[in-house]
Amino acid sequence: MMLSIIIPCYNEEGAIPLLYKHVIDVLKEIGMSYELIFVNDGSKDNTLLQLKLLAKKDNHVKYISFSRNFGKESSMLAGLSYASGQAVIIMDADLQHPPLLIKEMINAFHAGYDQVIAKRTRTGDSVSKTFFAKMYYKIVNHLTDVEMVDGVGDFRLLSRKAVDALLSLKESNRFSKGLFSWIGFKQKIIEYENQERQVGETKWSLKKLFNYGVQGILSFNDKPLRITFQLGLVCVLMSFLYILWTFITILKEGVTVGGYFTTISAILVIGGVQLISIGVLGEYIGKIYYEVKKRPPYLIDDTNINVKENEHDIV
C-alpha cells in the first residue's frame, strides 16, 4: 500500500530538514511504500532550495512550488490532487503535528476508518485563548450545518475514498475544516498533547485568524442572512412601537422639545443594523463573485511530479 504525506510549507527552510528526519524515522519503522509531497506556497526564503536538495537524495520526496503565495487551503488542495496513495496524511511542517502519530493513524486506517483525525489538547495555551476558542466553536456549531470540534484541524489521515470525495467538490473558496466534516465517512479521533513550534515563527496573525473564522461561519450556511432579516424585523417592530408611543405622548401632552436622545439612539441602532446587514450580504456576494470567475485555486511554477501522468491534476 502506498502512503502519501502532504506537507504545506511557507517560509519553513529551517524546519524542513528536521521534519524530514522525524518523518523518515517513523516511516522506516512502519515499513511501507510512501511519498512525501511538499507544497511550497510561494515562500520568500530558501524553502524551495531545501526541497530540491531533499528530492535529489531521496526519490520519495516530491515538491510542488506555487508561482506566489496562494494560502494553505490551496496548498492542501494541490497536495490532495497530486497524491497517489491509498491513504493520505496532511500535516504541518513546523513539527506541531507529531510524526509519531503516523503509526496510530495507519493502524486505524487498516481497521477500516476513512478519516483518522488528530485532536490536540489545549495544554499550555493561555486561559484567554482557550476561552475564545471554545466560544468560537460554540458559535460556529450553532450557525453552521456541519459540526466542528475544538482542537481538530488539518492533521489527519484520509482514505482514497475520502480524498476523491474532497476533490469532487469544485468550489474555489474552500474551508477544509468544514469540508472534512461535510464529506462524513467512518471517522476516528486520536488525541495528542499540544506541541510547541520548534523552528521559525507562526504564520497566523490575529487578522488571519479572524478572517479564517469568518470564512468558517459563512462557508456552510445562510443563517447570517436569515439572522439579519430577523434583526431587521425586530428593528421595524421596535420603531413602530416607538412611533406609536410618541404619537400617544403627543396626544396626551402635546409637542415637546425632548426626544433628542431617543432619536439619535434609534438612528444609530438602525444604521448599525443596516451596515451589518450590508456587510453580511457583501461577504456572500464576494464569494459568488470569486466562484463565477472560475480562476484556478493555484498556479504551479516548479515541480518534480510528472503532471501528465497524474489523474488528479486540476490545474
Side-chain angles (χ1 to χ4, degrees):
M1 187 192 81
M2 167 72 80
L3 171 67
S4 298
I5 299 180
I6 300 168
I7 306 168
C9 306
Y10 179 65
N11 294 341
E12 298 287 2
E13 63 173 321
I16 287 171
L18 190 59
L19 171 73
Y20 172 78
K21 180 183 181 304
H22 281 77
V23 171
I24 292 300
D25 288 344
V26 173
L27 292 175
K28 283 180 179 177
E29 260 186 71
I30 296 173
M32 61 187 299
S33 299
Y34 65 89
E35 62 178 359
L36 302 179
I37 303 177
F38 291 88
V39 184
N40 176 38
D41 186 20
S43 297
K44 294 178 172 60
D45 61 1
N46 291 319
T47 295
L48 180 58
L49 177 61
Q50 289 287 350
L51 298 180
K52 288 184 174 182
L53 291 174
L54 284 179
K56 278 185 180 180
K57 72 175 186 178
D58 185 351
N59 59 9
H60 294 96
V61 174
K62 311 296 181 185
Y63 64 85
I64 301 166
S65 185
F66 290 168
S67 61
R68 64 169 178 83
N69 179 251
F70 283 92
K72 189 179 180 183
E73 291 290 339
S74 295
S75 299
M76 289 191 291
L77 178 60
L80 291 172
S81 301
Y82 284 84
S84 56
Q86 286 75 44
V88 178
I89 292 175
I90 303 173
M91 64 188 303
D92 289 347
D94 55 17
L95 287 172
Q96 288 186 288
H97 294 164
L100 286 175
L101 256 65
I102 292 174
K103 293 186 203 174
E104 199 170 345
M105 288 178 164
I106 295 296
N107 291 336
F109 171 75
H110 287 308
Y113 290 96
D114 291 296
Q115 289 202 62
V116 187
I117 304 161
K119 177 186 176 184
R120 72 179 180 89
T121 64
R122 292 203 171 271
T123 306
D125 281 356
S126 65
V127 176
S128 60
K129 186 176 180 180
T130 302
F131 171 77
F132 284 116
K134 287 182 178 179
M135 288 299 296
Y136 169 75
Y137 280 101
K138 281 184 179 180
I139 294 169
V140 165
N141 287 323
H142 179 70
L143 291 176
T144 60
D145 302 324
V146 296
E147 182 181 2
M148 288 180 244
V149 181
D150 185 11
V152 168
D154 307 316
F155 186 25
R156 65 186 63 216
L157 178 146
L158 301 164
S159 68
R160 172 49 56 185
K161 179 166 63 174
V163 171
D164 289 341
L166 287 168
L167 293 175
S168 71
L169 308 176
K170 299 302 182 183
E171 58 202 76
S172 58
N173 289 284
R174 301 178 76 88
F175 182 71
S176 291
K177 189 179 289 190
L179 295 178
F180 292 141
S181 178
W182 188 86
I183 63 171
F185 298 121
K186 194 175 179 183
Q187 301 179 7
K188 180 179 180 179
I189 292 179
I190 301 171
E191 289 196 353
Y192 69 98
E193 289 295 319
N194 191 25
Q195 305 290 312
E196 293 294 328
R197 171 183 271 273
Q198 297 189 22
V199 181
E201 298 178 353
T202 181
K203 310 305 184 297
W204 288 98
S205 63
L206 184 61
K207 181 181 177 182
K208 287 183 178 179
L209 285 171
F210 177 79
N211 291 336
Y212 186 71
V214 172
Q215 174 83 347
I217 292 172
L218 299 182
S219 292
F220 287 89
N221 70 98
D222 60 356
K223 287 183 182 177
L225 291 173
R226 197 171 300 120
I227 289 171
T228 54
F229 174 71
Q230 293 166 351
L231 191 58
L233 289 178
V234 171
C235 287
V236 169
L237 178 61
M238 290 177 66
S239 299
F240 175 76
L241 292 175
Y242 175 72
I243 292 169
L244 183 62
W245 174 77
T246 304
F247 179 70
I248 293 172
T249 303
I250 290 172
L251 290 177
K252 286 182 176 180
E253 303 175 6
V255 179
T256 62
V257 182
Y260 174 79
F261 175 76
T262 52
T263 302
I264 292 298
S265 298
I267 291 172
L268 291 175
V269 170
I270 294 172
V273 170
Q274 289 176 332
L275 288 174
I276 292 171
S277 302
I278 292 170
V280 171
L281 286 170
E283 288 287 339
Y284 280 100
I285 293 170
K287 289 182 179 299
I288 296 169
Y289 171 70
Y290 283 111
E291 290 291 339
V292 299
K293 286 195 293 187
K294 300 294 183 183
R295 288 180 182 170
Y298 54 84
L299 295 174
I300 296 174
D301 180 49
D302 192 6
T303 181
N304 65 343
I305 300 175
N306 188 341
V307 296
K308 292 182 180 179
E309 295 179 2
N310 194 295
E311 60 180 337
H312 300 295
D313 180 27
I314 65 169
V315 175

